[in-house]
Amino acid sequence: MHRLSWLKAVRVAVSMLFFLSVGLIFIDLVQWIPVKIINAITWTQYAPSLISFFTSPGFAAAGFILFTILTLLLGRVYCSSVCPLGTFQDIIYRMGRRFFKQKPLKYSKPKNILRYTVLVAVIISFISGTSLLLSLLDPYSNFGRITGDIFRPAFQFVSNSLAAVLERQDIFWLARKDLKGIHTSSVVFASGFLFLVVIMSFSRGRLFCNTLCPVGALLSIFSRGSRLRIVLDKSSCNSCGQCSKVCKAQCIDIKSKEVDFTRCVACFNCLSACPSDGVLYSSRKSTPYIPEDEKLQASSGKRRTILKAILLTTAFTSVKAFATRLKGGEKPTEIPEDKKLVATPPGSGSHEHFNLFCTACHLCVSACPTQVLQPSFLQYGLHGLMQPYMDYHSGFCNFECTLCAEICPADAIKIVKPEQKKRVQLGVAHFIEKNCVVYTDNTACGACSEHCPTKAVNMVPYKNGLTIPEVNDKICIGCGACEYACPTRPYRSIFVEGNAVHQLADEPVQEKIELQKTTEDFPF
């Protein structure tokens, strides 16, 4: 056995720890995981940490610095052990070999033009003001969408079914939870990406990591200067090819006895597979490595890379310019809600900030206790695809809750104090009188006013002793409780028009309660 075989065992243990931890925070059905634990887990994720560092520099957002340093020392250990999507690909590949007898892997030429073009496109698009490409390709965010949009509803369905069976036996320790807010677009998108990853990893291991993943491409640049790296000892290597057969990055060339360490994901499978100690994990000085074929490709493909990046950026800008921001009783209502802007979560500040820094990982969607946060389709326009928005038909923003801000790993939703949050105006409620049941059915209602936490929706005299809603837009915070509670269908009689930039609402006037003086011990 190779003397460094233990490295693979350590890698497997650490990767499973991160994989299960990240998976649990998205599947957590009853929100029993403390916020501090969630923050500690998401702190390690590279892309959200990098984005968060630019908005709020500090230790809380410095996870990417740690893994950049580790890459310079040890290689792409983030890809091998910390990235949940990387471990997911390893599981798919292992299942393929175990149950479908896949052929052993072999060396393949690098796709440098593709992976670095993708990286350049992601960086340029982010600098130009949109995080769409990043959110579409970031491995952590995609893993979050797969887990939160596909696996979480499946777990919830199983949990509810089990709860129903137990209830028939008079056992009530497992609570049911409504399956709501499942958006077809988010499920289809997550399923499509899941299909892509499964196809790529089923027979080619970490192909996604070395072609389409922007984090993998960025870390591959840092890994060029890695202190420790996988190399082949040409005097000990007998070219048996065992290391190449288990290399999920397909970066070990037996013919030339060279390893393309920029593609190596530090899985250490080659160490345990080598029967002759011909694979080393040693310092760069003792075993210098110069990938000649890569240098030739880099020089010859430099101009093509730049040209492709320009073309991709031009195409993306055209698409962005072409895309427009779409909006997102007894008697059926007839007047549509003319909602031009959806509301963004409290703490996001504005559409511009939220759309730029959100990577659409959907952690807030999974954790939101009222499920008001839902994945968008085109509610923000094409550039905000899959980013969460306040869907007041699914729920409302709890007056006391700041959970989404506390767990956001990319700082797209900044932490606000509970008292401050109660005055952050996400939007303003608009009332459509001709949709209201008081108008259409000539009956009493008032559900919107009863649910309004600031009493911005007040019932005023109407006719025949009835009252009808009236909105005070100065103290309305746009929490959506009124819209959620409104019983009219298909169109609500009251809806929240989101603010492009969050405002500060006036403080509600508190009515003084005068206690009647009495000499009795129990005055009621």
Side-chain angles (χ1 to χ4, degrees):
M1 180 178 289
H2 197 286
R3 57 191 173 85
L4 293 178
S5 296
W6 59 271
L7 284 174
K8 178 184 174 182
V10 172
R11 188 267 302 172
V12 171
V14 174
S15 63
M16 289 308 298
L17 175 65
F18 276 99
F19 177 77
L20 294 175
S21 300
V22 176
L24 279 177
I25 65 176
F26 282 97
I27 294 178
D28 185 10
L29 298 179
V30 291
Q31 284 87 43
W32 62 271
I33 302 177
V35 171
K36 288 184 178 179
I37 300 297
I38 295 176
N39 289 337
I41 294 171
T42 56
W43 182 85
T44 61
Q45 296 308 312
Y46 199 89
S49 174
L50 177 61
I51 294 174
S52 179
F53 187 82
F54 283 119
T55 56
S56 303
F59 177 78
F64 85 95
I65 295 179
L66 171 64
F67 288 105
T68 300
I69 294 173
L70 288 176
T71 303
L72 291 171
L73 293 174
L74 308 174
R76 292 167 58 180
V77 290
Y78 172 83
C79 301
S80 66
S81 306
V82 182
C83 176
L85 190 68
T87 304
F88 181 73
Q89 293 174 79
D90 293 345
I91 294 172
I92 295 297
Y93 172 70
R94 186 174 178 81
M95 291 174 64
R97 290 197 64 186
R98 186 175 183 84
F99 299 109
F100 298 94
K101 297 181 180 180
Q102 287 289 331
K103 295 180 180 178
L105 295 166
K106 61 181 181 180
Y107 174 79
S108 69
K109 293 183 178 179
K111 308 291 189 299
N112 289 337
I113 294 177
L114 174 60
R115 62 171 169 166
Y116 292 128
T117 299
V118 169
L119 175 63
V120 170
V122 168
I123 294 173
I124 290 177
S125 66
F126 185 77
I127 293 173
S128 64
T130 175
S131 60
L132 175 62
L133 273 181
L134 177 61
S135 62
L136 291 179
L137 296 174
D138 173 42
Y140 162 76
S141 300
N142 275 294
F143 180 80
R145 288 193 287 268
I146 291 172
T147 310
D149 298 341
I150 300 176
F151 294 148
R152 189 173 190 272
F155 273 94
Q156 197 165 324
F157 176 77
V158 172
S159 175
N160 287 349
S161 301
L162 181 60
V165 172
L166 293 176
E167 286 173 5
R168 285 196 284 271
Q169 305 300 321
D170 294 331
I171 301 174
F172 301 96
W173 59 265
L174 187 60
R176 296 196 205 189
K177 197 169 184 180
D178 292 338
L179 272 170
K180 63 179 183 179
I182 300 175
H183 289 235
T184 304
S185 59
S186 62
V187 174
V188 169
F189 186 86
S191 301
F193 188 85
L194 175 63
F195 179 75
L196 174 67
V197 168
V198 169
I199 291 297
M200 296 181 80
S201 59
F202 187 73
S203 58
R204 299 289 299 276
R206 293 294 193 99
L207 181 61
F208 173 82
C209 302
N210 285 318
T211 52
L212 300 177
C213 179
V215 175
L218 181 61
L219 292 178
S220 74
I221 296 174
F222 295 131
S223 69
R224 290 173 183 270
S226 176
R227 179 65 179 171
L228 295 177
R229 56 180 54 212
I230 297 289
V231 293
L232 299 185
D233 185 344
K234 295 182 179 179
S235 60
S236 302
C237 177
N238 58 13
S239 300
C240 68
Q242 294 300 318
C243 55
S244 183
K245 291 179 181 177
V246 297
C247 178
K248 289 175 287 190
Q250 298 179 285
C251 64
I252 300 178
D253 187 358
I254 291 300
K255 292 182 179 177
S256 63
K257 296 186 178 182
E258 299 287 357
V259 179
D260 180 0
F261 197 65
T262 64
R263 288 189 288 154
C264 175
V265 294
C267 69
F268 305 124
N269 286 354
C270 52
L271 293 175
S272 57
C274 179
S276 61
D277 280 349
V279 183
L280 304 177
Y281 185 53
S282 60
S283 67
R284 187 180 184 184
K285 290 183 179 178
S286 60
T287 54
Y289 167 66
I290 304 174
E292 294 295 340
D293 58 335
E294 187 173 309
K295 288 177 65 178
L296 289 174
Q297 287 190 15
S299 60
S300 63
K302 186 176 179 180
R303 295 174 64 181
R304 284 181 294 172
T305 303
I306 295 173
L307 180 60
K308 286 196 171 186
I310 293 173
L311 290 174
L312 184 60
T313 305
T314 304
F316 182 77
T317 306
S318 300
V319 171
K320 181 184 176 186
F322 180 72
T324 56
R325 295 190 175 192
L326 303 178
K327 61 179 178 180
E330 293 293 332
K331 297 179 181 178
T333 49
E334 298 178 351
I335 303 176
E337 305 152 20
D338 187 22
K339 185 177 292 190
K340 297 181 176 63
L341 284 179
V342 295
T344 55
S348 57
S350 65
H351 276 232
E352 183 180 2
H353 172 87
F354 186 67
N355 293 151
L356 178 59
F357 293 104
C358 176
T359 62
C361 71
H362 292 183
L363 180 59
C364 58
V365 174
S366 297
C368 180
T370 62
Q371 299 184 32
V372 64
L373 282 172
Q374 295 296 326
S376 68
F377 181 48
L378 294 176
Q379 282 81 358
Y380 293 119
L382 186 61
H383 65 289
L385 188 69
M386 293 295 114
Q387 291 179 339
Y389 75 106
M390 306 292 275
D391 180 8
Y392 296 132
H393 288 196
S394 297
F396 60 93
C397 187
N398 193 313
F399 197 49
E400 305 284 345
C401 181
T402 57
L403 184 58
C404 56
E406 294 172 10
I407 62 173
C408 178
D411 217 22
I413 309 173
K414 293 180 177 294
I415 294 178
V416 291
K417 295 179 180 178
E419 291 306 314
Q420 182 185 356
K421 183 254 181 180
K422 292 176 182 177
R423 292 183 58 193
V424 174
Q425 189 181 65
L426 316 178
V428 176
H430 292 258
F431 177 58
I432 307 173
E433 181 179 331
K434 294 184 178 179
N435 282 354
C436 183
V437 293
V438 179
Y439 176 89
T440 58
D441 295 12
N442 199 30
T443 185
C445 182
C448 51
S449 179
E450 292 173 2
H451 287 79
C452 180
T454 64
K455 295 305 172 190
V457 182
N458 191 30
M459 302 302 289
V460 297
Y462 179 55
K463 62 182 180 181
N464 300 328
L466 298 173
T467 56
I468 199 163
E470 181 183 74
V471 178
N472 181 350
D473 57 8
K474 293 183 179 178
I475 61 173
C476 176
I477 58 173
C479 68
C482 55
E483 183 174 339
Y484 179 68
C486 181
T488 61
R489 299 292 185 276
Y491 308 114
R492 310 293 170 97
S493 66
I494 192 166
F495 69 93
V496 174
E497 177 69 30
N499 286 338
V501 179
H502 290 179
Q503 305 294 322
L504 188 65
D506 290 348
E507 194 165 354
V509 178
Q510 301 287 338
E511 294 183 0
K512 293 183 179 179
I513 300 176
E514 295 183 1
L515 298 177
Q516 294 181 351
K517 294 182 179 179
T518 178
T519 57
E520 299 179 1
D521 292 337
F522 299 98
F524 51 85

